[in-house]
Structure formats: structure tokens, C-alpha cells
Amino acid sequence: MDGRDNKLIREEGTEIGSIKISDEVVAVIAGLAASEIPGVAGMSGTLAGIAEKLGMKSMAKGVKVEVGERETAIDLYIIVEYGVRIPDVASEVQQAVKKAVENMTGLTVVEVNVHVQGVHFPAEGKEEEIRVK
């Protein structure tokens, strides 16, 4: 990190001005890419859970980003569907997130860490989620 405002992750000058991308944008891109992978039941969040209870849905739920001027590291906290092979799902998440963030922001993704926080499975008429910490 370069010590600038934590919300501003990338600023690039052009001939006619500058382009600024916030860390929230990177987190949203990563969260959406991860949630599209089959076997991912959802994202596991901390503060985002509080926001959802207040009626605000956070697309960056379960995502933590650390960004420098040209590189980023991403941590994803996911819940997987029961019955999937977790290493395969995690690997697909890593690849999809890396590709989406690099293509959309121009940042180099140096690592994507996947933290499996729980298993989701349907149970007799209602859905249940088991978290392991």
C-alpha cells in the first residue's frame, strides 16, 4: 500500500484526466465472479451481514481486498453447496475472480485466497447452513 486513502485503490492519468477505481468496485467484481461458480451457495460476510439486516444488500459481502497501485490480493469467504468437491470449486473461484478483476480493472491479481466458511444443504422443506469456524 502506498499510504493514500484506503478507499482509493487505483488512479491512472490519461491525456484528458484521471481514472479512479475504488476498493469497493474490486470487491464487488470479485464477489459477483465468485457467486457465479456452480457449487458456491453464497458469500459469508461479517459487517456485510449487518448491512443486509438493515435492508441494504452488499455485493461485496464476504470479500476483502488489499490493493496497491498496480496489484491486488483478494480474500473470499464462501459457503459451498453440500456434495461438491471443495478443492475444485475453490480453484474455479480463484480463476474466475482473477480473470474478472484483471479484465475489468487492469490490476494484476497476485493472489486469490478462498476461505470456506460453511456448507449449505437443503433439509426437509427448509434450507439450512452449517458454519464451521
Side-chain angles (χ1 to χ4, degrees):
M1 296 282 185
D2 60 6
R4 290 187 294 172
D5 181 7
N6 198 4
K7 297 287 183 191
L8 176 66
I9 59 158
R10 181 171 182 182
E11 182 173 355
E12 185 175 308
T14 66
E15 291 178 12
I16 59 173
S18 64
I19 300 168
K20 298 177 183 180
I21 304 171
S22 75
D23 56 352
E24 178 77 6
V25 169
V26 175
V28 167
I29 293 167
L32 287 172
S35 65
E36 291 177 353
I37 301 302
V40 175
M43 305 300 288
S44 175
T46 53
L47 295 176
I50 296 167
E52 281 186 354
K53 288 179 182 168
L54 297 173
M56 301 174 287
K57 183 164 177 132
S58 172
M59 299 308 291
K61 175 182 172 185
V63 183
K64 180 183 169 203
V65 297
E66 291 184 31
V67 185
E69 281 191 38
R70 301 194 191 289
E71 297 179 335
T72 184
I74 301 167
D75 285 277
L76 298 153
Y77 299 84
I78 67 170
I79 298 165
V80 296
E81 295 287 348
Y82 176 77
V84 300
R85 189 168 189 286
I86 294 172
D88 292 345
V89 171
S91 178
E92 286 183 49
V93 166
Q94 288 174 317
Q95 292 169 19
V97 167
K98 179 177 172 55
K99 181 179 178 182
V101 170
E102 287 183 346
N103 286 342
M104 293 184 74
T105 67
L107 292 167
T108 300
V109 177
V110 293
E111 61 183 35
V112 177
N113 301 307
V114 177
H115 307 269
V116 179
Q117 298 288 102
V119 176
H120 175 267
F121 62 96
E124 297 185 33
K126 67 177 187 176
E127 294 183 351
E128 290 185 21
E129 180 181 304
I130 298 178
R131 290 186 183 220
V132 180
K133 294 209 177 194

